[in-house]
Short mmCIF file of all heavy atoms in Angstrom, two decimals:
data_model
loop_
_atom_site.label_atom_id
_atom_site.label_comp_id
_atom_site.label_asym_id
_atom_site.label_seq_id
_atom_site.Cartn_x
_atom_site.Cartn_y
_atom_site.Cartn_z
N ASN A 864 -67.65 18.10 17.67
CA ASN A 864 -66.38 17.37 17.61
C ASN A 864 -65.16 18.26 17.88
O ASN A 864 -64.18 18.25 17.16
CB ASN A 864 -66.22 16.67 16.26
CG ASN A 864 -65.13 15.62 16.27
OD1 ASN A 864 -64.83 15.04 17.32
ND2 ASN A 864 -64.49 15.40 15.14
N VAL A 865 -65.25 19.02 18.97
CA VAL A 865 -64.15 19.86 19.44
C VAL A 865 -63.82 19.42 20.86
O VAL A 865 -64.73 19.07 21.63
CB VAL A 865 -64.56 21.36 19.43
CG1 VAL A 865 -63.51 22.23 20.11
CG2 VAL A 865 -64.77 21.84 18.00
N PRO A 866 -62.53 19.37 21.27
CA PRO A 866 -62.20 18.98 22.65
C PRO A 866 -62.98 19.80 23.67
O PRO A 866 -63.04 21.02 23.58
CB PRO A 866 -60.70 19.27 22.74
CG PRO A 866 -60.21 19.12 21.34
CD PRO A 866 -61.33 19.63 20.47
N ALA A 867 -63.59 19.12 24.64
CA ALA A 867 -64.45 19.78 25.62
C ALA A 867 -63.70 20.86 26.40
O ALA A 867 -64.29 21.87 26.80
CB ALA A 867 -65.01 18.75 26.59
N VAL A 868 -62.40 20.67 26.58
CA VAL A 868 -61.62 21.64 27.35
C VAL A 868 -61.59 23.01 26.68
O VAL A 868 -61.52 24.04 27.35
CB VAL A 868 -60.18 21.11 27.59
CG1 VAL A 868 -59.39 21.06 26.31
CG2 VAL A 868 -59.45 21.96 28.62
N ILE A 869 -61.70 23.03 25.35
CA ILE A 869 -61.76 24.31 24.63
C ILE A 869 -63.00 25.10 25.07
O ILE A 869 -62.94 26.30 25.35
CB ILE A 869 -61.80 24.08 23.10
CG1 ILE A 869 -60.43 23.66 22.60
CG2 ILE A 869 -62.26 25.33 22.35
CD1 ILE A 869 -59.41 24.76 22.57
N GLY A 870 -64.14 24.41 25.13
CA GLY A 870 -65.37 25.05 25.57
C GLY A 870 -65.26 25.57 26.98
O GLY A 870 -65.72 26.68 27.29
N GLU A 871 -64.61 24.80 27.86
CA GLU A 871 -64.47 25.21 29.26
C GLU A 871 -63.57 26.43 29.39
O GLU A 871 -63.83 27.33 30.20
CB GLU A 871 -63.95 24.03 30.08
CG GLU A 871 -64.95 22.87 30.14
CD GLU A 871 -64.41 21.64 30.83
OE1 GLU A 871 -63.18 21.43 30.78
OE2 GLU A 871 -65.21 20.87 31.38
N LEU A 872 -62.50 26.46 28.61
CA LEU A 872 -61.62 27.64 28.62
C LEU A 872 -62.34 28.87 28.09
O LEU A 872 -62.19 29.98 28.64
CB LEU A 872 -60.37 27.36 27.78
CG LEU A 872 -59.38 26.32 28.34
CD1 LEU A 872 -58.37 25.92 27.28
CD2 LEU A 872 -58.66 26.84 29.57
N LEU A 873 -63.13 28.69 27.04
CA LEU A 873 -63.87 29.82 26.46
C LEU A 873 -64.96 30.32 27.39
O LEU A 873 -65.28 31.51 27.40
CB LEU A 873 -64.47 29.42 25.11
CG LEU A 873 -63.45 29.20 23.98
CD1 LEU A 873 -64.15 28.68 22.72
CD2 LEU A 873 -62.69 30.49 23.66
N VAL A 874 -65.54 29.41 28.19
CA VAL A 874 -66.53 29.83 29.20
C VAL A 874 -65.90 30.82 30.18
O VAL A 874 -66.52 31.81 30.56
CB VAL A 874 -67.10 28.60 29.95
CG1 VAL A 874 -67.85 29.03 31.22
CG2 VAL A 874 -68.05 27.82 29.05
N GLY A 875 -64.65 30.55 30.54
CA GLY A 875 -63.94 31.46 31.45
C GLY A 875 -63.83 32.86 30.87
O GLY A 875 -63.99 33.86 31.57
N ILE A 876 -63.54 32.94 29.57
CA ILE A 876 -63.44 34.24 28.90
C ILE A 876 -64.82 34.90 28.82
O ILE A 876 -64.98 36.09 29.08
CB ILE A 876 -62.84 34.09 27.48
CG1 ILE A 876 -61.42 33.53 27.57
CG2 ILE A 876 -62.86 35.42 26.73
CD1 ILE A 876 -60.81 33.15 26.23
N LEU A 877 -65.85 34.09 28.49
CA LEU A 877 -67.20 34.61 28.29
C LEU A 877 -67.83 35.14 29.58
O LEU A 877 -68.38 36.25 29.60
CB LEU A 877 -68.10 33.52 27.69
CG LEU A 877 -69.56 33.91 27.38
CD1 LEU A 877 -69.60 34.98 26.30
CD2 LEU A 877 -70.35 32.69 26.95
N VAL A 878 -67.74 34.37 30.66
CA VAL A 878 -68.40 34.78 31.92
C VAL A 878 -67.52 35.69 32.76
O VAL A 878 -67.99 36.27 33.74
CB VAL A 878 -68.81 33.55 32.76
CG1 VAL A 878 -69.70 32.62 31.96
CG2 VAL A 878 -67.60 32.80 33.33
N GLY A 879 -66.25 35.83 32.38
CA GLY A 879 -65.30 36.62 33.16
C GLY A 879 -65.33 38.10 32.87
O GLY A 879 -66.21 38.61 32.15
N PRO A 880 -64.34 38.83 33.40
CA PRO A 880 -64.27 40.29 33.25
C PRO A 880 -64.20 40.76 31.80
O PRO A 880 -64.60 41.89 31.49
CB PRO A 880 -62.98 40.65 34.00
CG PRO A 880 -62.76 39.54 34.95
CD PRO A 880 -63.27 38.31 34.26
N ALA A 881 -63.71 39.90 30.89
CA ALA A 881 -63.53 40.32 29.50
C ALA A 881 -64.84 40.53 28.76
O ALA A 881 -64.93 41.37 27.85
CB ALA A 881 -62.68 39.29 28.75
N VAL A 882 -65.91 39.78 29.15
CA VAL A 882 -67.18 39.87 28.39
C VAL A 882 -68.37 40.14 29.32
O VAL A 882 -68.77 41.28 29.51
CB VAL A 882 -67.43 38.59 27.55
CG1 VAL A 882 -68.69 38.73 26.70
CG2 VAL A 882 -66.23 38.31 26.64
N LEU A 883 -68.95 39.09 29.93
CA LEU A 883 -70.20 39.26 30.68
C LEU A 883 -70.02 39.73 32.12
O LEU A 883 -70.98 40.17 32.75
CB LEU A 883 -70.97 37.92 30.68
CG LEU A 883 -71.43 37.40 29.31
CD1 LEU A 883 -72.12 36.05 29.45
CD2 LEU A 883 -72.37 38.40 28.65
N GLN A 884 -68.81 39.57 32.66
CA GLN A 884 -68.50 40.02 34.03
C GLN A 884 -69.39 39.36 35.09
O GLN A 884 -69.74 39.98 36.09
CB GLN A 884 -68.60 41.54 34.13
CG GLN A 884 -67.65 42.27 33.18
CD GLN A 884 -67.67 43.77 33.36
OE1 GLN A 884 -68.01 44.27 34.43
NE2 GLN A 884 -67.30 44.49 32.33
N LEU A 885 -69.74 38.10 34.88
CA LEU A 885 -70.54 37.37 35.85
C LEU A 885 -69.67 36.74 36.94
O LEU A 885 -70.12 36.56 38.08
CB LEU A 885 -71.34 36.25 35.15
CG LEU A 885 -72.39 36.70 34.13
CD1 LEU A 885 -72.99 35.50 33.42
CD2 LEU A 885 -73.49 37.52 34.81
N VAL A 886 -68.46 36.39 36.59
CA VAL A 886 -67.52 35.78 37.53
C VAL A 886 -66.21 36.56 37.49
O VAL A 886 -65.72 36.90 36.42
CB VAL A 886 -67.24 34.30 37.16
CG1 VAL A 886 -66.25 33.68 38.14
CG2 VAL A 886 -68.54 33.50 37.15
N HIS A 887 -65.68 36.86 38.67
CA HIS A 887 -64.42 37.60 38.76
C HIS A 887 -63.39 36.75 39.52
O HIS A 887 -63.76 35.96 40.39
CB HIS A 887 -64.63 38.93 39.48
CG HIS A 887 -65.54 39.86 38.73
ND1 HIS A 887 -65.09 40.75 37.79
CD2 HIS A 887 -66.89 40.03 38.79
CE1 HIS A 887 -66.10 41.42 37.29
NE2 HIS A 887 -67.21 41.01 37.88
N PRO A 888 -62.11 36.90 39.18
CA PRO A 888 -61.08 36.18 39.95
C PRO A 888 -61.17 36.53 41.43
O PRO A 888 -61.39 37.69 41.78
CB PRO A 888 -59.77 36.70 39.34
CG PRO A 888 -60.14 37.20 37.98
CD PRO A 888 -61.54 37.74 38.11
N SER A 889 -61.06 35.53 42.27
CA SER A 889 -61.11 35.75 43.72
C SER A 889 -60.25 34.70 44.40
O SER A 889 -59.84 33.71 43.79
CB SER A 889 -62.55 35.65 44.24
OG SER A 889 -63.03 34.33 44.12
N ASP A 890 -60.00 34.91 45.69
CA ASP A 890 -59.19 33.95 46.44
C ASP A 890 -59.84 32.58 46.47
O ASP A 890 -59.16 31.55 46.34
CB ASP A 890 -58.97 34.45 47.88
CG ASP A 890 -58.05 35.66 47.92
OD1 ASP A 890 -57.31 35.89 46.94
OD2 ASP A 890 -58.08 36.39 48.93
N MET A 891 -61.18 32.53 46.64
CA MET A 891 -61.87 31.25 46.71
C MET A 891 -61.88 30.52 45.36
O MET A 891 -61.69 29.30 45.31
CB MET A 891 -63.30 31.45 47.21
CG MET A 891 -63.40 31.80 48.69
SD MET A 891 -62.59 30.57 49.76
CE MET A 891 -63.57 29.11 49.45
N ILE A 892 -62.08 31.27 44.29
CA ILE A 892 -62.01 30.67 42.96
C ILE A 892 -60.62 30.10 42.72
O ILE A 892 -60.45 29.00 42.17
CB ILE A 892 -62.35 31.70 41.86
CG1 ILE A 892 -63.83 32.11 41.94
CG2 ILE A 892 -62.03 31.17 40.47
CD1 ILE A 892 -64.81 31.02 41.58
N HIS A 893 -59.60 30.85 43.16
CA HIS A 893 -58.21 30.38 43.01
C HIS A 893 -57.99 29.09 43.79
O HIS A 893 -57.35 28.14 43.28
CB HIS A 893 -57.25 31.46 43.51
CG HIS A 893 -55.81 31.07 43.45
ND1 HIS A 893 -55.13 30.91 42.25
CD2 HIS A 893 -54.92 30.75 44.44
CE1 HIS A 893 -53.89 30.54 42.50
NE2 HIS A 893 -53.74 30.43 43.82
N VAL A 894 -58.52 29.01 45.01
CA VAL A 894 -58.37 27.80 45.84
C VAL A 894 -59.04 26.61 45.16
O VAL A 894 -58.45 25.52 45.05
CB VAL A 894 -58.96 28.03 47.25
CG1 VAL A 894 -59.06 26.71 48.01
CG2 VAL A 894 -58.10 29.02 48.04
#
Side-chain angles (χ1 to χ4, degrees):
N864 195 28
V865 171
V868 68
I869 286 287
E871 294 174 332
L872 291 167
L873 290 175
V874 165
I876 298 171
L877 181 64
V878 304
V882 184
L883 297 177
Q884 301 184 25
L885 296 174
V886 179
H887 296 271
S889 67
D890 290 341
M891 287 304 296
I892 292 292
H893 178 69
V894 168

